[in-house]
Amino acid sequence: MPKPSFRVWLFLVLLALGGVMALLDTRSVREPGAVPRDAAGEPDFYLEGARLTRFDAEGRAHQRVDTPRLVHTPHDDVTRLETPDARLLDRAGRTWLATADSGVLGAGGNPLTLSGSARLHAPEERWQLDTEVLHYDADIGHAWSDTPALLRQPPQRMSGERFDAWLHDNRARLTDNVRGHHPPETQEDPQP
């Protein structure tokens, strides 16, 4: 019996390699997680690793939310989000960042309510707000919190019982029992 040629050996090696690759590929199929059930009822759908983008009346993206998992319940038309990471765009094109432990998009996708260590960050203005519950109405660009809030713009910091920000107007307001720390400006020595 003659010895198999190089081409036959190469064919057999490639065939074996293909079989091993096919076996590994079937093992890496990710099974979906359990269907979430809670007091809100059974969902009509849920998504994992989702990115939602909302557009304004002119067709410009004005809100993007990334979440590892979202669940929508049809009876109340509410979407629940796990650890949402939101990018809010105002009319001037500035980006505002918002994060929290959980979130809810109301009926029709508005308002967005962030709960549990909610944070709103304005990178261009270098300020950050920390609160327990933060609401955002994307249609009018209004963010607010009715829970105690801490507003920081280093080295300054202020706290209050309520916070409002109008992103399109670049305005923010703390109200009720406002306290702050505002260190005096220091004058640097003039250069000789």
Side-chain angles (χ1 to χ4, degrees):
M1 182 172 213
K3 184 176 170 182
S5 71
F6 174 75
R7 288 183 182 189
V8 171
W9 282 111
L10 182 61
F11 174 74
L12 291 174
V13 167
L14 289 175
L15 186 62
L17 184 62
V20 169
M21 297 278 288
L23 180 64
L24 290 176
D25 188 47
T26 60
R27 289 184 176 191
S28 67
V29 173
R30 197 176 114 196
E31 295 294 322
V35 175
R37 298 180 192 279
D38 60 19
E42 188 166 327
D44 56 346
F45 68 88
Y46 69 96
L47 299 172
E48 294 181 349
R51 173 177 285 173
L52 291 85
T53 304
R54 292 194 66 207
F55 297 88
D56 62 15
E58 288 81 40
R60 293 179 302 224
H62 68 99
Q63 180 180 8
R64 187 182 85 204
V65 179
D66 293 318
T67 179
R69 186 176 188 140
L70 69 81
V71 178
H72 180 266
T73 50
H75 77 278
D76 57 2
D77 192 23
V78 168
T79 304
R80 287 159 185 81
L81 312 163
E82 287 182 7
T83 60
D85 183 2
R87 304 235 182 290
L88 314 172
L89 300 170
D90 65 19
R91 290 185 188 131
R94 291 181 303 248
T95 301
W96 305 68
L97 310 173
T99 59
D101 296 335
S102 64
V104 174
L105 279 168
N110 200 39
L112 170 64
T113 302
L114 302 173
S115 302
S117 300
R119 175 172 286 168
L120 179 63
H121 179 66
E124 289 186 23
E125 287 76 19
R126 296 182 358 256
W127 62 258
Q128 173 180 303
L129 173 85
D130 294 302
T131 188
E132 197 54 36
V133 179
L134 180 70
H135 306 276
Y136 178 65
D137 185 327
D139 294 336
I140 59 174
H142 180 215
W144 73 95
S145 175
D146 295 321
T147 59
L150 174 64
L151 180 64
R152 289 182 282 194
Q153 188 176 29
Q156 302 176 70
R157 67 181 180 276
M158 296 179 289
S159 62
E161 299 297 318
R162 180 178 168 80
F163 173 80
D164 288 279
W166 294 268
L167 305 188
H168 300 312
D169 301 330
N170 199 26
R171 288 187 306 132
R173 176 178 67 194
L174 273 172
T175 54
D176 300 332
N177 197 24
V178 176
R179 295 171 189 243
H181 172 72
H182 307 278
E185 290 186 38
T186 58
Q187 296 287 335
E188 294 185 22
D189 293 331
Q191 298 294 327

